[in-house]
Amino acid sequence: MIPLAKPEIGAREEELVLEVLRSGRLSLGPMVERFEREFAAWLGVEDAVAVSSGTAALHLCVRALGWGRGDEVLTSPFSFVASANCLLYEGVRPVFCDVDPVTLNLDPAAAAAAIGERTVGILPVHIFGYPAAMPEFEAIAAEHGLGLLEDACESLGATDLEGRRVGARGNLATFGFYANKQLATGEGGMIVPSDPESAARLRSERNQGRAANMGWLDHDRLGFNYRLSDVAAALGVAQLEKLDAMLASRARLAVLYEHGLTAVKGVRAPVGGTGAEARSWFVYAVELPVGAERDQTIRQLAERGVASKAYLPCIPLFPHMRELGYGEGQFPVAEAASARSLALPFFPAMGESEVGRVCEALAESLS
Ligand SMILES: Cc1ncc(COP(=O)(O)O)c(C=O)c1O
């Protein structure tokens, strides 16, 4: 079976994990600081705060922005559920706005049209590694006095219209390092703070509400245990060293897929970028032709040794979001994308022949 995803774990990861194990510093040790420092340098930002997951990163950022009960934040219905759940954790209502049919990212015009009296912010998601329209969101936020939080969990390495790396525009931004991500630590996340004050608050809240100079049993605010372990940080440091090569492999595979899929009738390949925008390839999700039976296609691909997955569900249709009054028909572009998108196997070590096998299997399944 060709799997959907596979992390690139090698000798360097083993070496650095072993270094941590032998040091005896499994938590709050130097490896986390090293990961933060090297991640910030790679991204070209001043600072970065490591946390236990992308979801934890989002939650702390919602708090750092001061969003709370009674507030509304504009966000994308076509995303992984955590980008909306992080608002619910703090009693904030997610106000979904439809997405652009090509990039599948939150549509700035739809977001601007949804601004109301309770709107306090915008939470764009760089979905499938495609950079969201940040210059437009920044202009809308500045005009209406709104906060901005970038969910960059799927987009490490993407560059935006202005040629800047996603997450390096000065807004609070979050990254995630789940096992299928461009950089994988199993579980893990990173926050790019917007200034030194937010960095201090984030570091305190991830660590049970302790300021840097406080003892283990001292706390001066509500906090969480959202720390990243030093073992995970060791994986992160090793992964950073080869990140450029892994991103290049993913981009090369995307080109191979695009060529291979020209022979598969009716299937729409994802766009790599327009102008200076460049996707960081996370998953490779195609759009199946209208009328194709997706579940049957998934079964037939599996019979041919190819894993695939319906990706992503439309968030407002989950039961806990329906309780807020959402339902079918409100976000036609996102719902259509959810109904027809299919993720195919995609990981740096995938070979050209495997891409060929996937394309062939897809053509057979759809014929
Ligand atoms: C867009 C998006 N946001 C948030 C998350 C949450 O990250 P994690 O699984 O590390 O909590 C993920 C990934 O899983 C994601 O893809």
Side-chain angles (χ1 to χ4, degrees), residues 52-56 58 79-80 82-83 125-127 151 153-154 176-178 180-181 187-189 282:
S52 53
S53 70
T55 306
L58 285 165
S79 172
F80 182 67
S83 60
V125 182
H126 306 275
I127 202 68
D151 182 342
C153 285
E154 299 188 354
F177 308 132
Y178 182 67
N180 66 345
K181 293 292 193 312
E187 301 291 353
F282 165 49

Side-chain angles (χ1 to χ4, degrees), residues 94-131:
V95 173
F96 298 107
C97 313
D98 216 344
V99 297
D100 178 276
V102 175
T103 67
L104 303 180
N105 276 328
L106 184 62
D107 177 356
I115 293 173
E117 271 178 17
R118 289 171 177 261
T119 309
V120 293
I122 315 177
L123 199 171
V125 182
H126 306 275
I127 202 68
F128 297 159
Y130 199 94

Side-chain angles (χ1 to χ4, degrees), residues 12-367:
R12 184 64 173 151
E13 281 79 1
E14 290 176 10
E15 184 186 331
L16 289 181
V17 166
L18 210 55
E19 190 180 310
V20 169
L21 297 181
R22 287 179 177 154
S23 77
R25 301 282 302 274
L26 301 186
S27 54
L28 294 168
M31 198 59 92
V32 170
E33 283 173 26
R34 178 171 166 190
F35 183 34
E36 291 181 337
R37 222 173 28 247
E38 293 180 8
F39 183 92
W42 187 90
L43 196 63
V45 294
E46 287 286 308
D47 195 7
V49 179
V51 289
S52 53
S53 70
T55 306
L58 285 165
H59 184 195
L60 292 188
C61 287
V62 168
R63 293 175 57 82
L65 282 156
W67 297 344
R69 197 155 296 284
D71 291 338
E72 295 184 350
V73 167
L74 313 172
T75 194
S76 173
F78 188 77
S79 172
F80 182 67
V81 70
S83 60
N85 280 350
C86 68
L87 298 169
L88 297 182
Y89 298 158
E90 293 297 319
V92 179
R93 179 183 172 85
V95 173
F96 298 107
C97 313
D98 216 344
V99 297
D100 178 276
V102 175
T103 67
L104 303 180
N105 276 328
L106 184 62
D107 177 356
I115 293 173
E117 271 178 17
R118 289 171 177 261
T119 309
V120 293
I122 315 177
L123 199 171
V125 182
H126 306 275
I127 202 68
F128 297 159
Y130 199 94
M134 289 318 299
E136 284 168 87
F137 289 121
E138 284 166 5
I140 296 169
E143 189 186 336
H144 297 273
L146 307 176
L148 267 179
L149 168 54
E150 298 184 43
D151 182 342
C153 285
E154 299 188 354
S155 62
L156 182 58
T159 50
D160 66 25
L161 254 183
E162 294 171 349
R164 289 156 82 172
R165 274 212 165 122
V166 161
R169 296 184 65 88
N171 306 313
L172 276 169
T174 63
F175 291 92
F177 308 132
Y178 182 67
N180 66 345
K181 293 292 193 312
Q182 291 93 326
L183 183 154
T185 63
E187 301 291 353
M190 194 71 83
I191 303 169
V192 179
S194 48
D195 52 56
E197 291 74 46
S198 72
R201 175 172 176 172
L202 293 163
R203 288 200 161 90
S204 168
E205 290 198 356
R206 79 172 168 187
N207 190 23
Q208 304 284 15
R210 295 180 186 106
N213 57 358
M214 282 184 167
W216 188 250
L217 296 177
D218 274 344
H219 315 273
D220 62 357
R221 60 166 75 236
L222 175 67
F224 306 85
N225 179 358
Y226 284 167
R227 296 184 301 265
L228 185 71
S229 81
D230 280 56
V231 171
L235 292 172
V237 170
Q239 292 266 293
L240 263 180
E241 290 174 3
K242 59 187 182 196
L243 181 58
D244 290 325
M246 293 193 293
L247 292 174
S249 298
R250 286 175 178 270
R252 186 181 55 83
L253 283 174
V255 172
L256 292 174
Y257 258 129
E258 194 173 349
H259 289 163
L261 288 171
T262 52
V264 189
K265 232 177 116 217
V267 167
R268 198 172 84 169
V271 292
T274 53
E277 279 176 330
R279 187 193 288 270
S280 168
W281 289 93
F282 165 49
V283 290
Y284 197 86
V286 298
E287 192 180 302
L288 294 180
V290 181
E293 273 288 335
R294 184 168 58 182
D295 289 345
Q296 188 183 319
T297 305
I298 292 171
R299 275 195 303 277
Q300 291 179 340
L301 283 171
E303 281 161 17
R304 290 167 170 79
V306 174
S308 63
K309 196 178 210 154
Y311 218 94
L312 294 151
C314 194
I315 296 177
L317 303 184
F318 287 126
H320 66 299
M321 295 297 174
R322 287 179 187 266
E323 283 174 17
L324 302 177
Y326 291 113
E328 276 88 2
Q330 296 177 333
F331 310 101
V333 183
E335 284 173 48
S338 285
R340 307 230 305 269
S341 69
L342 185 72
L344 302 174
F346 195 67
F347 47 91
M350 203 174 164
E352 187 168 351
S353 62
E354 287 176 306
V355 174
R357 263 182 62 200
V358 174
C359 294
E360 252 170 54
L362 187 60
E364 286 165 17
S365 304
L366 290 171
S367 69

